[in-house]
Amino acid sequence: MRTSSQPHRSIMAEPSLEMTGKDVDALRQAAPLIAPGTLVNVTFLGNEDLEMRVTAAETAKALGFIPVPHISARRLRSQVELEEFLSAIRERVGTEYMFAVGGDPTEPMGPYDSALKMIETGLLKEYGFRNISIAGYPESHPDITEKQLWDALEGKVRAFQEQRLEGTILTQFGFDTDPILAWTKEVRRRRINLPVRIGVPGPAGIKRLLNYGRRFGVSTSTGIAKKYGLSLTNLLGTAGPEKMIADLQTGLDPALHGEVRLHFYTFGGMEATAEWINQYKE
């Protein structure tokens, strides 16, 4: 229950979206439904190359959005590859936003075993990136201990302070608001004052949502599924995050949780997510 008397803006104000390098046509189709100036994150997946990533970011900017390219530290084979990516984004896209993440590979493919190590090089700032998003894990991480996650988050915050960079914490998606609220409260208790964007899945088929959840280590018990609106007995159905968003809005206290907004993972498609956002706001 909210106990603060401070005004609390809707967490649906200015939501951000995520796309892959293959979603260029989908973004163009959905563009009329997306507010100008929306932050659009562009992934850094193993099956994408430099040209796909840069083209996607260029498209987002051309359509009136703010591209936030991802860069996966553990996928980089060398400092040369890092600088090639940073240079291409700055020269062809011009954005000052970047999302720095460790990435999926079990073993790093080059010199950077974490986003922190990459940030500490100072190269992101050197190439003109001023607002760096970093990952948050309210439901922990299957391969990283809680202590390591908090140490890494606090290390990135210190690096931002030393380099005078702005930052945002963008969380992995989940289906349960309780760990999200508890984790965000702990973030503030540790005096980390960066804005937080809570990751939520856009509307999608239940089977697809559950598959993504398993892939990313997100827990989905029967109780959590029911709370979110998923049917574990009808996998052919679809579900949106309206219950989760309502629960978050009710549970958030600006005195305890600080600035919180939403980031949509568009598993069900860019256009479907944009339509859902507009309908929810109305």
Side-chain angles (χ1 to χ4, degrees), residues 242-260:
E242 56 270 10
K243 290 184 178 181
M244 178 179 178
I245 292 172
D247 285 347
L248 281 172
Q249 188 72 65
T250 300
L252 285 169
D253 179 343
L256 298 175
H257 302 103
E259 181 181 344
V260 178

mmCIF file of all heavy atoms in Angstrom, residues 242-260:
data_model
loop_
_atom_site.group_PDB
_atom_site.id
_atom_site.type_symbol
_atom_site.label_atom_id
_atom_site.label_comp_id
_atom_site.label_asym_id
_atom_site.label_seq_id
_atom_site.Cartn_x
_atom_site.Cartn_y
_atom_site.Cartn_z
ATOM 1 N N GLU A 242 -1.586 -6.004 -18.280
ATOM 2 C CA GLU A 242 -2.404 -5.007 -17.593
ATOM 3 C C GLU A 242 -2.517 -5.244 -16.092
ATOM 4 O O GLU A 242 -2.457 -4.291 -15.291
ATOM 5 C CB GLU A 242 -3.805 -4.927 -18.223
ATOM 6 C CG GLU A 242 -4.580 -6.227 -18.275
ATOM 7 C CD GLU A 242 -4.325 -7.001 -19.546
ATOM 8 O OE1 GLU A 242 -3.417 -6.632 -20.315
ATOM 9 O OE2 GLU A 242 -5.033 -7.998 -19.766
ATOM 10 N N LYS A 243 -2.651 -6.507 -15.663
ATOM 11 C CA LYS A 243 -2.747 -6.793 -14.229
ATOM 12 C C LYS A 243 -1.439 -6.451 -13.524
ATOM 13 O O LYS A 243 -1.437 -5.881 -12.432
ATOM 14 C CB LYS A 243 -3.105 -8.257 -14.001
ATOM 15 C CG LYS A 243 -4.524 -8.628 -14.404
ATOM 16 C CD LYS A 243 -4.827 -10.076 -14.041
ATOM 17 C CE LYS A 243 -6.261 -10.448 -14.397
ATOM 18 N NZ LYS A 243 -6.565 -11.850 -14.028
ATOM 19 N N MET A 244 -0.333 -6.803 -14.167
ATOM 20 C CA MET A 244 0.971 -6.531 -13.567
ATOM 21 C C MET A 244 1.201 -5.022 -13.439
ATOM 22 O O MET A 244 1.681 -4.543 -12.396
ATOM 23 C CB MET A 244 2.058 -7.158 -14.436
ATOM 24 C CG MET A 244 3.461 -6.905 -13.942
ATOM 25 S SD MET A 244 4.674 -7.713 -15.007
ATOM 26 C CE MET A 244 6.185 -7.186 -14.209
ATOM 27 N N ILE A 245 0.841 -4.276 -14.475
ATOM 28 C CA ILE A 245 1.050 -2.829 -14.444
ATOM 29 C C ILE A 245 0.176 -2.182 -13.373
ATOM 30 O O ILE A 245 0.620 -1.288 -12.634
ATOM 31 C CB ILE A 245 0.785 -2.221 -15.834
ATOM 32 C CG1 ILE A 245 1.873 -2.680 -16.811
ATOM 33 C CG2 ILE A 245 0.740 -0.695 -15.761
ATOM 34 C CD1 ILE A 245 1.615 -2.298 -18.246
ATOM 35 N N ALA A 246 -1.065 -2.636 -13.270
ATOM 36 C CA ALA A 246 -1.950 -2.095 -12.228
ATOM 37 C C ALA A 246 -1.394 -2.391 -10.843
ATOM 38 O O ALA A 246 -1.425 -1.524 -9.949
ATOM 39 C CB ALA A 246 -3.349 -2.691 -12.390
ATOM 40 N N ASP A 247 -0.867 -3.599 -10.636
ATOM 41 C CA ASP A 247 -0.283 -3.957 -9.341
ATOM 42 C C ASP A 247 0.950 -3.103 -9.036
ATOM 43 O O ASP A 247 1.165 -2.668 -7.902
ATOM 44 C CB ASP A 247 0.089 -5.437 -9.312
ATOM 45 C CG ASP A 247 -1.120 -6.348 -9.177
ATOM 46 O OD1 ASP A 247 -2.211 -5.842 -8.854
ATOM 47 O OD2 ASP A 247 -0.976 -7.566 -9.397
ATOM 48 N N LEU A 248 1.773 -2.893 -10.061
ATOM 49 C CA LEU A 248 2.956 -2.052 -9.868
ATOM 50 C C LEU A 248 2.555 -0.626 -9.501
ATOM 51 O O LEU A 248 3.120 -0.027 -8.580
ATOM 52 C CB LEU A 248 3.808 -2.035 -11.143
ATOM 53 C CG LEU A 248 4.694 -3.239 -11.406
ATOM 54 C CD1 LEU A 248 5.315 -3.147 -12.798
ATOM 55 C CD2 LEU A 248 5.797 -3.357 -10.355
ATOM 56 N N GLN A 249 1.590 -0.082 -10.236
ATOM 57 C CA GLN A 249 1.174 1.283 -9.969
ATOM 58 C C GLN A 249 0.644 1.429 -8.544
ATOM 59 O O GLN A 249 0.913 2.422 -7.861
ATOM 60 C CB GLN A 249 0.093 1.701 -10.967
ATOM 61 C CG GLN A 249 -0.275 3.180 -10.897
ATOM 62 C CD GLN A 249 0.817 4.079 -11.449
ATOM 63 O OE1 GLN A 249 1.121 4.042 -12.635
ATOM 64 N NE2 GLN A 249 1.438 4.883 -10.598
ATOM 65 N N THR A 250 -0.091 0.422 -8.078
ATOM 66 C CA THR A 250 -0.629 0.453 -6.729
ATOM 67 C C THR A 250 0.472 0.324 -5.680
ATOM 68 O O THR A 250 0.442 0.979 -4.633
ATOM 69 C CB THR A 250 -1.655 -0.680 -6.539
ATOM 70 O OG1 THR A 250 -2.718 -0.512 -7.483
ATOM 71 C CG2 THR A 250 -2.216 -0.681 -5.126
ATOM 72 N N GLY A 251 1.452 -0.538 -5.959
ATOM 73 C CA GLY A 251 2.483 -0.829 -4.960
ATOM 74 C C GLY A 251 3.608 0.166 -4.889
ATOM 75 O O GLY A 251 4.339 0.221 -3.889
ATOM 76 N N LEU A 252 3.779 0.966 -5.917
ATOM 77 C CA LEU A 252 4.907 1.895 -5.938
ATOM 78 C C LEU A 252 4.688 3.082 -5.011
ATOM 79 O O LEU A 252 3.610 3.670 -4.968
ATOM 80 C CB LEU A 252 5.140 2.411 -7.365
ATOM 81 C CG LEU A 252 5.805 1.437 -8.334
ATOM 82 C CD1 LEU A 252 5.731 1.964 -9.765
ATOM 83 C CD2 LEU A 252 7.255 1.189 -7.937
ATOM 84 N N ASP A 253 5.732 3.415 -4.286
ATOM 85 C CA ASP A 253 5.754 4.582 -3.412
ATOM 86 C C ASP A 253 6.991 5.385 -3.801
ATOM 87 O O ASP A 253 8.115 4.905 -3.667
ATOM 88 C CB ASP A 253 5.842 4.126 -1.953
ATOM 89 C CG ASP A 253 5.887 5.289 -0.965
ATOM 90 O OD1 ASP A 253 6.168 6.433 -1.388
ATOM 91 O OD2 ASP A 253 5.660 5.048 0.224
ATOM 92 N N PRO A 254 6.819 6.604 -4.315
ATOM 93 C CA PRO A 254 7.983 7.369 -4.771
ATOM 94 C C PRO A 254 9.022 7.599 -3.690
ATOM 95 O O PRO A 254 10.204 7.751 -3.983
ATOM 96 C CB PRO A 254 7.376 8.694 -5.260
ATOM 97 C CG PRO A 254 6.005 8.747 -4.681
ATOM 98 C CD PRO A 254 5.555 7.338 -4.511
ATOM 99 N N ALA A 255 8.597 7.603 -2.412
ATOM 100 C CA ALA A 255 9.554 7.787 -1.322
ATOM 101 C C ALA A 255 10.441 6.558 -1.148
ATOM 102 O O ALA A 255 11.572 6.660 -0.677
ATOM 103 C CB ALA A 255 8.816 8.083 -0.022
ATOM 104 N N LEU A 256 9.933 5.384 -1.529
ATOM 105 C CA LEU A 256 10.669 4.136 -1.356
ATOM 106 C C LEU A 256 11.291 3.629 -2.654
ATOM 107 O O LEU A 256 12.334 2.980 -2.625
ATOM 108 C CB LEU A 256 9.742 3.048 -0.805
ATOM 109 C CG LEU A 256 9.126 3.286 0.571
ATOM 110 C CD1 LEU A 256 8.154 2.169 0.906
ATOM 111 C CD2 LEU A 256 10.213 3.392 1.635
ATOM 112 N N HIS A 257 10.653 3.916 -3.780
ATOM 113 C CA HIS A 257 11.055 3.319 -5.048
ATOM 114 C C HIS A 257 11.628 4.317 -6.048
ATOM 115 O O HIS A 257 12.187 3.904 -7.062
ATOM 116 C CB HIS A 257 9.861 2.599 -5.688
ATOM 117 C CG HIS A 257 9.265 1.534 -4.819
ATOM 118 N ND1 HIS A 257 8.100 1.709 -4.114
ATOM 119 C CD2 HIS A 257 9.690 0.280 -4.527
ATOM 120 C CE1 HIS A 257 7.815 0.612 -3.433
ATOM 121 N NE2 HIS A 257 8.762 -0.271 -3.652
ATOM 122 N N GLY A 258 11.490 5.605 -5.789
ATOM 123 C CA GLY A 258 12.064 6.601 -6.684
ATOM 124 C C GLY A 258 11.372 6.650 -8.033
ATOM 125 O O GLY A 258 10.197 6.294 -8.170
ATOM 126 N N GLU A 259 12.124 7.095 -9.044
ATOM 127 C CA GLU A 259 11.563 7.238 -10.395
ATOM 128 C C GLU A 259 11.509 5.875 -11.080
ATOM 129 O O GLU A 259 12.535 5.223 -11.267
ATOM 130 C CB GLU A 259 12.418 8.198 -11.224
ATOM 131 C CG GLU A 259 11.882 8.417 -12.631
ATOM 132 C CD GLU A 259 12.745 9.352 -13.467
ATOM 133 O OE1 GLU A 259 13.592 10.066 -12.889
ATOM 134 O OE2 GLU A 259 12.576 9.353 -14.697
ATOM 135 N N VAL A 260 10.311 5.468 -11.481
ATOM 136 C CA VAL A 260 10.110 4.167 -12.118
ATOM 137 C C VAL A 260 9.219 4.324 -13.342
ATOM 138 O O VAL A 260 8.153 4.951 -13.266
ATOM 139 C CB VAL A 260 9.462 3.153 -11.141
ATOM 140 C CG1 VAL A 260 9.215 1.818 -11.842
ATOM 141 C CG2 VAL A 260 10.339 2.962 -9.908
#
